[in-house]
Amino acid sequence: MTENNRSNRTQQPSQPDVIDLGKLLGLLLDGKWIIIFTTFVFAVAGVTYALLATPIYKADALIQVEQKSTGMPVLSESMGDMFAQESQAATEIEIIKSRMVLGKTVDKFNLTTVASPNYLPVIGKGLAKRMGEEAFIKVERFDIPDYALTGGYQIIIDDSASGAFTLTDSEDKVILKGKADELARSANGEYSLFISQLIGKDGQEFSLGKRSKLDAIQWLSGSLSVSERGKQSGILSFGFEGENQEQIIDLLNDIANNYFLQNVDRNAAEAENSLEFLQNKLPEIKAQLTVNEDALNQYRQDNESVDLGLEAQSTLKVMVELEAQLNELTFKESELAQRFTKEHPAYIAVLEKRKTLEEQKRRLEGQIKKLPKTQRAVLRLTRDVEVNQQIYLQLLNKSQELAIVKASTVGNVRILDGAESYSAPVKPKKPLIAVLATLLGGMLSVAFVLLRAAFHRGVENPDQIEELGLPVYATIPRSEQQEKIVKIQEKNKAKKKLLTAEESLLAFVNPADLSVEAFRSLRTSLHFAMMEAKNNIIMITGPSPAIGKSFVSANFAAIIASAGQKVLLIDADMRKGHIGKGVKLNNDFGLSDYLVNDKSAEEVINIDQVENMHFISKGKTPPNPSELLMHPRFEELCAWASENYDIVIIDTPPVLAVTDAAIVGRQAGTTLMVTRFAKTALKEIEVSSDRLEQAGVETKGVILNAVEKTASSYYTYGYYNYAYKSE
């Protein structure tokens, strides 16, 4: 039967995977209070943070980096090339952020010592400022021994009027006591502390610690921003952010001055190095010139003052010019070797020119060899003298030029604008923070609502159940009146007070309730559905506990009884059945008492609660409920009840929890499965139905209980409300 029933079950085609905008809108409307509350909380938090967060100010300065020059227009082009090198913005920015520049600022302002007031996190300083209790401290000197910890120290103001304070360590041990504007030392002399400014009320605490110079430079570099204004403009914009306006102005001015001074020192150092080289070289050239002059004079004396002919003099002039050019190339090659490799085009050009001049020199030397011996000797000696004279004069001129350059060096950096701070803080941006916090709260709350809906597997639409091929016989709305009845029963249970059946059943307490109308609709539907059933026994079960099976069973029985039919309600959940609990019954015996042969059917039936409605409770809790239900006496009870009553309703335990429902279902002609709105998963319904079919029990239909009017369900399949109206 199971495979045939499963295959014969008419399943409706599933809906295509499309985005249901109506349902999404409904989900957002259902979660509107979550969205509103979360958005409001985030908005309040954002505004609070924006108002109380510590304001951050910004100071800026402007510096121009010019092309390097000697500052002397009359100097030769070769000297200008030696000192003219365009500095790129990226290179200059790296120099500014180097330890060489920033380290001087760290040392000057003692940034390795960190002192700050103790406030509440995030908003504490803002609160103190608004309440006029802002504290301030400036530590000029803090010396600790090498073995001591660098952090965890606390400064406590003892007397704000006199500036007295106490320094403690991380273990609250007193290290020293002192006053502001006075150098305080510990008893052993290992600790010393000088505080120039101390503002705060008595008992105000400050955190004090040391950090390495590298960490201080990193902090300084992180707060400093340097950028070029425009492309290849050479204008560098400095920016520095911090809480204290005076401090950031002083720090930025010092960084700019340090950069300017190192630039001047660097340019002067270039000229000084070249000047030192020339001054060391001049004595050697002068000595060599003296030797050459002496050799020429001596040769002329020995050879009775030999003069050169016109051809020799012309050759000598050309030779001297070649030697001068070669000597100039030597200086240029030395300069290029410091800046480029031998593969650089400029370096290659110098080498090619040298090669050409050396070839000309060799040709001249060949012509000289054709001259008489005496003239050759005089020509050689005269050439040596004139070449060395020219070299000496050239070096002497350059030495004087470099001395002038060194004395007139001003650097190629100019401070255009000194550091100034904006009056308004740049952070936090209060309107932006408030807007972003509000948007973040809205987005997070919407995401939470949608994710909750995505992971929620509860059935909310009868169409979902009918896609499994199971008809939905009734949708029972959630009843506020029933919730009140449950609360009354719980209160009376504590007082050990029992209600009558008419006081505990919704069908009698409020016959006009929408839930009761749904039971009447179910009664009509089953009247026709049971015409083909094998008997008049209805089993009401469900996939899981706490879905309202007992509520449905009891009120459905009451509705049938009110129509004049004789009904027997049996609580077959002998484990946790609670139908009849808190209700006045005429006996305490139930189903379990009958099944163990202790009582007869008439002895376990309660007949004086509601007209036409009789009830059998679960009885005493047995150790083996399933085995008792398989006893022949249960089948006999069902047959007897079917003959003596118009309708028999049996409430059973959950299908997925125990096997009792499968046993009871074989005796019932009609099986109804109760599911709870937004709680019972679709898979639970399918598995429960399959499990009953495996036991030979066909699920006739489903009852969707506790249906709520939600926006998502309204936009999905509609919701109708039709109630009584008093005239």
Side-chain angles (χ1 to χ4, degrees), residues 327-366:
N327 186 60
E328 185 69 26
L329 286 178
T330 301
F331 281 105
K332 204 162 190 178
E333 183 181 351
S334 175
E335 177 190 349
L336 292 175
Q338 298 177 5
R339 298 164 55 188
F340 309 112
T341 62
K342 291 185 177 182
E343 288 75 18
H344 195 274
Y347 204 112
I348 294 175
V350 170
L351 294 179
E352 291 292 336
K353 189 173 182 180
R354 173 184 286 278
K355 184 178 179 181
T356 302
L357 293 176
E358 288 178 346
E359 288 179 356
Q360 293 179 8
K361 181 180 177 181
R362 283 194 293 270
R363 285 198 302 269
L364 285 175
E365 288 176 348

Side-chain angles (χ1 to χ4, degrees), residues 134-150:
E134 189 175 11
F136 179 76
I137 186 172
K138 186 175 182 181
V139 179
E140 302 290 347
R141 176 181 172 185
F142 180 45
D143 299 325
I144 61 175
D146 295 337
Y147 63 84
L149 296 175
T150 58

Side-chain angles (χ1 to χ4, degrees), residues 121-177:
V122 183
I123 62 173
K125 190 168 186 177
L127 283 173
K129 188 174 183 179
R130 288 186 172 275
M131 297 172 64
E133 298 178 355
E134 189 175 11
F136 179 76
I137 186 172
K138 186 175 182 181
V139 179
E140 302 290 347
R141 176 181 172 185
F142 180 45
D143 299 325
I144 61 175
D146 295 337
Y147 63 84
L149 296 175
T150 58
Y153 299 97
Q154 297 289 324
I155 297 175
I156 305 172
I157 297 179
D158 298 327
D159 185 2
S160 58
S162 62
F165 64 86
T166 300
L167 175 65
T168 62
D169 60 12
S170 57
E171 298 178 354
D172 294 332
K173 293 181 180 179
V174 177
I175 298 177
L176 57 83
K177 290 179 176 290

Side-chain angles (χ1 to χ4, degrees), residues 439-549:
L439 291 177
L440 180 62
M443 289 187 294
L444 288 178
S445 57
V446 169
F448 171 76
V449 170
L450 295 179
L451 282 175
R452 184 181 63 175
F455 286 101
H456 178 64
R457 300 301 180 186
V459 176
E460 295 184 357
N461 190 335
D463 294 340
Q464 295 175 277
I465 301 174
E466 292 179 352
E467 287 177 2
L468 299 176
L470 296 173
V472 178
Y473 273 72
T475 56
I476 302 174
R478 181 180 176 184
S479 174
E480 295 181 1
Q481 184 65 46
Q482 175 63 24
E483 294 176 358
K484 294 178 181 178
I485 293 173
V486 172
K487 291 180 180 179
I488 293 173
Q489 288 178 332
E490 291 176 353
K491 291 181 181 179
N492 290 338
K493 182 179 179 181
K495 300 177 181 179
K496 296 182 179 181
K497 181 180 178 181
L498 300 178
L499 300 176
T500 63
E502 293 181 349
E503 293 174 332
S504 60
L505 290 176
L506 178 64
F508 297 117
V509 174
N510 186 9
D513 194 277
L514 285 176
S515 299
V516 178
E517 288 297 328
F519 284 121
R520 293 190 179 100
S521 176
L522 176 61
R523 179 186 62 189
T524 304
S525 300
L526 281 182
H527 174 74
F528 298 100
M530 291 178 62
M531 289 182 177
E532 299 178 358
K534 65 180 180 180
N535 57 37
N536 58 351
I537 299 176
I538 302 173
M539 180 181 75
I540 296 180
T541 186
S544 58
I547 58 176
K549 299 187 306 299

Side-chain angles (χ1 to χ4, degrees), residues 180-479:
D181 288 329
E182 295 180 5
L183 180 63
R185 293 184 180 275
S186 61
N188 55 13
E190 293 183 334
Y191 292 85
S192 60
L193 177 63
F194 181 77
I195 300 176
S196 59
Q197 294 184 45
L198 185 62
I199 301 173
K201 60 182 182 180
D202 293 351
Q204 174 70 51
E205 296 184 358
F206 300 83
S207 296
L208 180 65
K210 300 283 287 184
R211 60 184 171 188
S212 66
K213 185 176 181 179
L214 183 60
D215 290 339
I217 292 174
Q218 286 294 108
W219 172 81
L220 202 61
S221 178
S223 301
L224 174 67
S225 61
V226 185
S227 61
E228 185 180 18
R229 285 192 179 180
K231 187 176 181 181
Q232 306 269 333
S233 64
I235 304 296
L236 299 181
S237 176
F238 285 47
F240 197 90
E241 295 182 356
E243 300 177 9
N244 190 318
Q245 289 180 287
E246 294 181 1
Q247 183 189 41
I248 62 177
I249 291 174
D250 293 340
L251 290 176
L252 192 56
N253 275 327
D254 191 69
I255 293 172
N257 288 330
N258 291 338
Y259 170 62
F260 170 76
L261 292 176
Q262 70 82 30
N263 180 267
V264 173
D265 293 342
R266 174 61 180 166
N267 289 338
E270 292 179 1
E272 184 177 0
N273 291 337
S274 299
L275 181 61
E276 183 180 357
F277 170 77
L278 294 178
Q279 288 176 346
N280 292 334
K281 199 71 177 176
L282 280 173
E284 298 179 8
I285 300 298
K286 186 176 182 180
Q288 185 64 39
L289 177 61
T290 302
V291 171
N292 291 336
E293 288 176 344
D294 292 343
L296 176 61
N297 293 333
Q298 185 65 38
Y299 187 82
R300 283 181 171 176
Q301 290 177 3
D302 294 342
N303 292 277
E304 297 179 354
S305 185
V306 177
D307 292 329
L308 296 175
L310 293 176
E311 182 181 358
Q313 289 180 0
S314 176
T315 303
L316 176 62
K317 183 178 180 181
V318 174
M319 283 291 292
V320 171
E321 289 178 356
L322 284 176
E323 289 290 348
Q325 292 180 18
L326 287 172
N327 186 60
E328 185 69 26
L329 286 178
T330 301
F331 281 105
K332 204 162 190 178
E333 183 181 351
S334 175
E335 177 190 349
L336 292 175
Q338 298 177 5
R339 298 164 55 188
F340 309 112
T341 62
K342 291 185 177 182
E343 288 75 18
H344 195 274
Y347 204 112
I348 294 175
V350 170
L351 294 179
E352 291 292 336
K353 189 173 182 180
R354 173 184 286 278
K355 184 178 179 181
T356 302
L357 293 176
E358 288 178 346
E359 288 179 356
Q360 293 179 8
K361 181 180 177 181
R362 283 194 293 270
R363 285 198 302 269
L364 285 175
E365 288 176 348
Q367 295 177 6
I368 292 173
K369 289 180 181 180
K370 296 178 182 180
L371 296 175
K373 180 180 178 181
T374 303
Q375 287 194 1
R376 286 202 310 268
V378 172
L379 181 63
R380 178 178 57 80
L381 293 173
T382 305
R383 180 198 65 186
D384 292 341
V385 170
E386 291 188 5
V387 167
N388 281 324
Q389 280 180 345
Q390 219 172 34
I391 293 174
Y392 180 75
L393 291 175
Q394 186 180 19
L395 291 181
L396 190 60
N397 289 335
K398 288 189 177 183
S399 176
Q400 292 174 353
E401 290 174 354
L402 287 172
I404 297 173
V405 168
K406 179 184 176 183
S408 60
T409 298
V410 294
N412 64 317
V413 171
R414 182 170 57 150
I415 299 177
L416 302 178
D417 294 331
E420 291 291 340
S421 175
Y422 296 98
S423 58
V426 295
K427 296 177 183 177
K429 299 184 183 300
K430 298 179 181 180
L432 181 61
I433 289 176
V435 171
L436 290 179
T438 304
L439 291 177
L440 180 62
M443 289 187 294
L444 288 178
S445 57
V446 169
F448 171 76
V449 170
L450 295 179
L451 282 175
R452 184 181 63 175
F455 286 101
H456 178 64
R457 300 301 180 186
V459 176
E460 295 184 357
N461 190 335
D463 294 340
Q464 295 175 277
I465 301 174
E466 292 179 352
E467 287 177 2
L468 299 176
L470 296 173
V472 178
Y473 273 72
T475 56
I476 302 174
R478 181 180 176 184
S479 174

